[in-house]
Amino acid sequence: MNQASLRHREILSVAPAIARLIERSHELSTPFLLIDPARLRSNLHQLRAAFPGADVFYAVKANPHPGVLQILAEEGCGFEISSDGELDLVEATGRPTPLLSSNPIKAPGFIRRAARAGVLAFAVDSPDELRKIAFEAPGAAVYVRLLVDNSGSEWPLARKYGVGPAEAVELLVRAADLGLRPFGTTFHVGSQCRLSASWDAALAVSAEVWNDAARHDLCLGFLSIGGGFPVQHTRVIPSLEEIGDVVQRAIADRFPSGVQVTLEPGRAVVGDAALLGASVIGKARRGEEHWIYLDVGVFNGLMETIEGFSYEVSALASGPTAPVVLAGPSCDSVDVIAESVALPDLEIGDRVYFLNAGAYTLAYASCFNGWPPPEVHFLDRADETR
Ligand SMILES: *Cc1c(COP(=O)(O)O)cnc(C)c1O
């Protein structure tokens, strides 16, 4: 198991937007997820500014809360969906929104329904998926998921999906033979990707496919650069502007003018728009180790910590810090959030905050052992940070 290296941040040094969330959360019972709608909107605006002209499709799986989808729908954001459940959620916003389906493996019934609901195009990475789409959604547009290097990412997504350039071109040719519309390509550099060069390398692979496709008389127009845009936690990350510059340069150098660029951000839209709050429910000394138990753990909100994902945590308590093992509330021994995190002395009932925890927390949370997922709250409009 990869160990998460959480880092304590003094409550006095948190960013003003986070301090405001903490201040507004005192009345809430834990665990909670307090979301800042203004931050959601400004994250979307920042993405649009960093990638001018690109279409943005929010990856619903990052945080599918209806309130989040409503705000993004109001902003005219598109949605990337891959299941009936996600389509239900998007339809419940009551707004017509552009839709994309980027999981290369989809259930047949979903494909049929999504095509009727107006999904623009479907991702593929296998002949079987092409046949399925040709049957369920004749004439649909398809784009190929490419296998790209995920080594700069903290939550890699390679291996499970994606094909190399030669196979990609074969799939596009075969799509045309099946009466489908060969539309373009997509990739995912891995979630929380800390290397802007990963997008450059992935665009080089994409360009190889586009050039080869042109030799087969296929005219592609849709270039998705996936998700993976990082959120500030404990490590240095490139800014969206830096990634945007790298991407724009790569596209100008390697692609025909007028390609439609698409982003599928999940984490970068919601990650730093929410605060996760927990309470200390127990303490124990085990040999040399001090253990602190919270009412939130890997099963009801902090799933990403099992793969070594590193949040900043803050506590209202002050004073000198000492290393503790931070654990969730369930009986399962997997439910350890971090093996060693330096925290001030905490008492039962004290609050611990996980900063920038809006993405992949709620969505993964179960009720295992009777511990509920964080309750979701939104800052009132009057309270929103600007
Ligand atoms: C999960 C996912 C995304 C979003 O990834 P982030 O790292 O949250 O930006 C985008 N596209 C696809 C196909 C995904 O599976």
Side-chain angles (χ1 to χ4, degrees):
M1 191 191 308
N2 237 327
Q3 264 311 318
S5 54
L6 268 57
R7 192 171 68 204
H8 177 245
R9 176 176 279 281
E10 280 289 336
I11 198 93
L12 292 174
S13 74
V14 302
I18 294 170
R20 186 169 189 93
L21 285 168
I22 291 175
E23 190 190 312
R24 296 292 168 182
S25 72
H26 292 324
E27 305 285 298
L28 306 178
S29 49
T30 62
F32 65 79
L33 190 72
L34 179 56
I35 300 176
D36 182 351
R39 191 60 183 248
L40 277 181
R41 292 193 193 94
S42 67
N43 285 344
L44 183 60
H45 299 164
Q46 204 190 341
L47 279 157
R48 285 174 171 157
F51 300 88
D55 291 327
V56 180
F57 290 80
Y58 170 63
V60 168
K61 76 173 189 289
N63 185 329
H65 190 275
V68 170
L69 303 186
Q70 191 65 45
I71 289 163
L72 296 175
E74 279 169 20
E75 295 291 324
C77 188
F79 293 106
E80 188 278 313
I81 56 169
S82 291
S83 62
D84 281 316
E86 289 184 343
L87 181 51
D88 289 343
L89 287 165
V90 168
E91 285 182 344
T93 66
R95 287 176 186 263
T97 51
L99 299 173
L100 210 54
S101 185
S102 279
N103 189 318
I105 304 288
K106 295 160 292 295
F110 168 73
I111 295 170
R112 205 174 325 131
R113 186 179 155 205
R116 279 202 304 267
V119 164
L120 189 65
F122 295 97
V124 294
D125 67 356
S126 67
D128 281 295
E129 191 73 4
L130 278 178
R131 276 193 293 276
K132 206 162 72 188
I133 295 172
F135 182 76
E136 302 290 349
V142 293
Y143 53 106
V144 178
R145 168 79 167 258
L146 303 173
L147 185 62
V148 299
D149 185 10
N150 269 213
S151 58
S153 131
E154 288 190 32
W155 192 267
L157 303 169
R159 186 176 93 90
K160 188 169 177 184
Y161 298 120
V163 293
E167 214 177 321
V169 177
E170 274 172 37
L171 287 170
L172 290 165
V173 169
R174 193 188 286 234
D177 292 344
L178 288 166
L180 296 169
R181 196 148 61 88
F183 198 45
T185 55
T186 188
F187 57 78
H188 199 303
V189 293
S191 202
Q192 184 72 4
C193 180
R194 289 184 284 113
L195 285 180
S196 56
S198 292
W199 278 271
D200 187 60
L203 282 164
V205 176
S206 308
E208 206 181 317
V209 174
W210 280 55
N211 291 334
D212 206 16
R215 283 192 285 276
H216 286 81
D217 293 325
L218 298 172
C219 180
L220 305 182
F222 172 88
L223 179 64
S224 161
I225 63 166
F229 312 100
V231 161
Q232 187 63 58
H233 291 290
T234 60
R235 300 185 181 148
V236 176
I237 56 164
S239 66
L240 285 179
E241 291 68 28
E242 177 185 334
I243 299 170
D245 286 347
V246 166
V247 165
Q248 265 141 246
R249 213 170 322 122
I251 290 174
D253 287 351
R254 303 196 187 106
F255 288 85
S257 59
V259 299
Q260 185 50 47
V261 179
T262 290
L263 328 179
E264 306 166 18
R267 193 184 299 280
V269 176
V270 283
D272 62 6
L275 177 77
L276 194 153
S279 293
V280 176
I281 60 162
K283 297 169 71 167
R285 178 141 190 185
R286 308 199 183 284
E288 291 301 298
E289 293 172 344
H290 288 274
W291 285 62
I292 294 282
Y293 298 81
L294 302 178
D295 57 1
V296 74
V298 304
F299 296 105
N300 65 335
L302 296 172
M303 172 69 91
E304 288 201 302
T305 59
I306 63 170
E307 286 280 347
F309 202 84
S310 301
Y311 292 99
E312 280 194 323
V313 290
S314 208
L316 288 182
S318 56
T321 62
V324 301
V325 183
L326 199 58
S330 74
C331 294
D332 199 304
S333 61
V334 168
D335 196 2
V336 173
I337 301 161
E339 287 294 335
S340 176
V341 46
L343 288 176
D345 194 26
L346 294 170
E347 293 304 329
I348 289 167
D350 282 355
R351 293 204 160 188
V352 174
Y353 305 101
F354 292 80
L355 312 189
N356 300 342
Y360 303 110
T361 43
L362 201 61
Y364 278 137
S366 77
C367 289
F368 177 56
N369 221 176
W371 292 95
E375 194 175 324
V376 176
H377 300 271
F378 288 82
L379 270 192
D380 288 340
R381 290 227 157 181
D383 287 339
E384 285 181 16
T385 55
R386 298 282 155 211

